[in-house]
Amino acid sequence: MPTLADLQTPLVVIDAPALQRNIARMAEAAAAGGKRLRPHGKTHKSGWIARQQVAAGAIGMTCAKPGEAEVFAAAGIDDIRIAYPISPTYAPRVLSLMDGVRLSTIVDDLGVAQGWSDAMAAAGRRLEVLVKIDVGTHRCGVDPTQRDAIGFIETVSRMPGLDLRGLLSHAGHSYGASSLDHVRDIAGAEAAMMQELVAGCAARGVLLEEVSVGSTPTARLSAGLPGITELRPGNYVFHDRTQVGLGVVEWQDCALRVHASVTSFPAPDRLVLDCGSKVLSSDGARGFAGAATGFGVVLGPDGQPDPGLVIERLSEEHGVVRVTGPTRLRIGDRVTVIPNHACVVANLSNGYTVVEGETVVETQKVEARGLVN
């Protein structure tokens, strides 16, 4: 079988043993906490990986776009949740998906919810929905500190054509946490807010069966908290520099890596890799563990970050590395880079090179890459 050295760079590589460990650990954490696991497929956009997650115990998949849902349905996933406030103009595609899979989505606006109600009533169908709750990320969702969230939920529960399943949230602000204790506090506050809403709705006769939360930094903590029924982490399947920076994992847990080559060494303090923004993305690093500088981490021979190399600039095809100390690297040498944000790298790639050690065991397409609707 070929080895990585036989292939040209840059390569988006999946370490198969690390991938399998990540999938198993999250499935085990969810099961131990009595939670259902519905991973977010926007991270990997791959039917091949989605099937592995379901085989390990996931009940289905989460996605962000109807196009992703269509890809996962074609891959054999039969329970799909679109955790994104999609417009009722997508009704024909949603109705088509509902013919083959159990489908649900979210609402956070009464006008949009009414639009879905009208579309489903006209088609003689019922669409499962959850109300999106803003637990602190302040992106989308009903913010209970600013609006009558219980009144909103009660109104949606009465709309024909809709089957209100429960509440859904995303503690995305956990990515800005300053410590592990801060992450724990965010997870606890999310669970408490959701429990309070469920109780308030029950007092008005609106019974909610599902409370779905999703964030890789908080997922294992949320698994042990009461009042939650479902976890929707996404990045955990790969992990990346940000997850290491947040203290969630170690470098060896990062399953998605970029293999690149030194293409130029124009000055003693500067070398260039063949992985620019079209491979690594221009997303910055986040986290409180270590300095969050540069556009990815170059690993040394020991599998730990090389402290003398910082990817300080990206153009489309160039990764410009500042050299701050002695280096073994020369033009033509190869390096392994842990990207800042694995989800974006996956979406930029046509396929994955799957390896065990240095041996290439297979290649896999990224079927849902680049989908915008």
Side-chain angles (χ1 to χ4, degrees):
M1 300 186 74
T3 67
L4 282 172
D6 298 320
L7 304 180
Q8 294 181 319
T9 59
L11 288 169
V12 175
V13 173
I14 292 179
D15 182 309
L19 176 78
Q20 292 155 9
R21 289 195 303 270
N22 292 342
I23 290 173
R25 285 172 182 166
M26 190 61 73
E28 291 163 2
K35 309 295 189 286
R36 295 188 292 270
L37 177 63
R38 187 189 296 272
H40 208 311
K42 72 178 178 62
T43 291
H44 53 71
K45 293 178 174 280
S46 162
W48 171 71
I49 294 176
R51 288 190 293 270
Q52 292 184 63
Q53 292 173 307
V54 170
I59 64 165
M61 293 299 297
T62 305
C63 58
K65 305 289 183 177
E68 291 177 0
E70 289 159 351
V71 167
F72 289 130
I77 308 302
D78 61 8
D79 193 334
I80 299 173
R81 177 157 291 164
I82 302 175
Y84 193 88
I86 56 175
S87 163
T89 58
Y90 286 96
R93 290 171 70 181
V94 166
L95 286 165
S96 180
L97 277 163
M98 290 169 65
D99 289 336
V101 303
R102 181 179 182 181
L103 188 76
S104 56
T105 189
I106 65 167
V107 293
D108 67 353
D109 179 89
L110 288 179
V112 171
Q114 187 63 59
W116 279 112
S117 172
D118 294 343
M120 291 298 120
R125 306 289 289 275
R126 291 182 65 82
L127 174 64
E128 294 186 7
V129 299
L130 296 90
V131 171
K132 175 68 180 289
I133 302 299
D134 179 2
V135 295
T137 303
H138 302 320
R139 188 169 61 186
C140 60
V142 179
D143 183 348
T145 68
Q146 301 293 324
R147 299 168 63 183
D148 177 10
I150 294 175
F152 181 100
I153 296 162
E154 186 177 20
T155 300
V156 172
S157 74
R158 296 195 299 261
M159 290 184 176
L162 301 184
D163 178 8
L164 178 61
R165 302 296 302 165
L167 310 179
L168 180 146
S169 63
H170 170 61
H173 51 307
S174 61
Y175 281 89
S178 58
S179 66
L180 283 174
D181 283 340
H182 191 188
V183 175
R184 187 173 292 106
D185 289 344
I186 289 170
E190 176 184 42
M193 179 181 286
M194 300 293 262
Q195 283 185 291
E196 183 177 348
L197 289 172
V198 169
C201 288
R204 295 195 191 182
V206 179
L207 302 181
L208 303 174
E209 295 183 16
E210 298 190 38
V211 175
S212 175
V213 304
S215 161
T216 290
T218 58
R220 293 191 189 180
L221 298 168
S222 298
L225 295 175
I228 293 168
T229 65
E230 176 179 278
L231 306 176
R232 303 184 331 278
N235 187 274
Y236 82 93
V237 73
F238 289 151
H239 292 303
D240 51 27
R241 184 188 184 183
T242 294
Q243 300 301 334
V244 176
L246 289 167
V248 175
V249 293
E250 303 295 334
W251 296 107
Q252 64 267 23
D253 299 313
C254 295
L256 184 141
R257 297 155 178 244
V258 171
H259 281 237
S261 297
V262 179
T263 59
S264 180
F265 209 144
D269 63 348
R270 184 174 75 255
L271 63 81
V272 178
L273 302 174
D274 59 359
C275 54
S277 62
K278 289 181 177 178
V279 178
L280 289 177
S281 94
S282 56
D283 280 17
R286 290 178 283 182
F288 50 79
T293 58
F295 296 94
V297 168
V298 180
L299 297 184
D302 60 354
Q304 297 298 306
D306 187 326
L309 302 173
V310 177
I311 305 174
E312 64 178 3
R313 285 189 287 131
L314 298 178
S315 54
E316 291 183 68
E317 312 295 349
H318 304 74
V320 181
V321 179
R322 176 162 45 89
V323 181
T324 62
T327 180
R328 72 192 192 287
L329 295 176
R330 298 293 181 266
I331 293 175
D333 287 344
R334 293 181 173 227
V335 298
T336 297
V337 179
I338 303 296
N340 289 345
H341 190 180
C343 306
V344 181
V345 173
N347 191 53
L348 291 170
S349 176
N350 286 320
Y352 302 125
T353 299
V354 185
V355 302
E356 292 182 5
E358 294 295 310
T359 301
V360 177
V361 295
E362 60 184 309
T363 58
Q364 289 288 336
K365 294 181 67 175
V366 186
E367 301 102 317
R369 73 170 298 266
L371 293 176
V372 295
N373 60 38

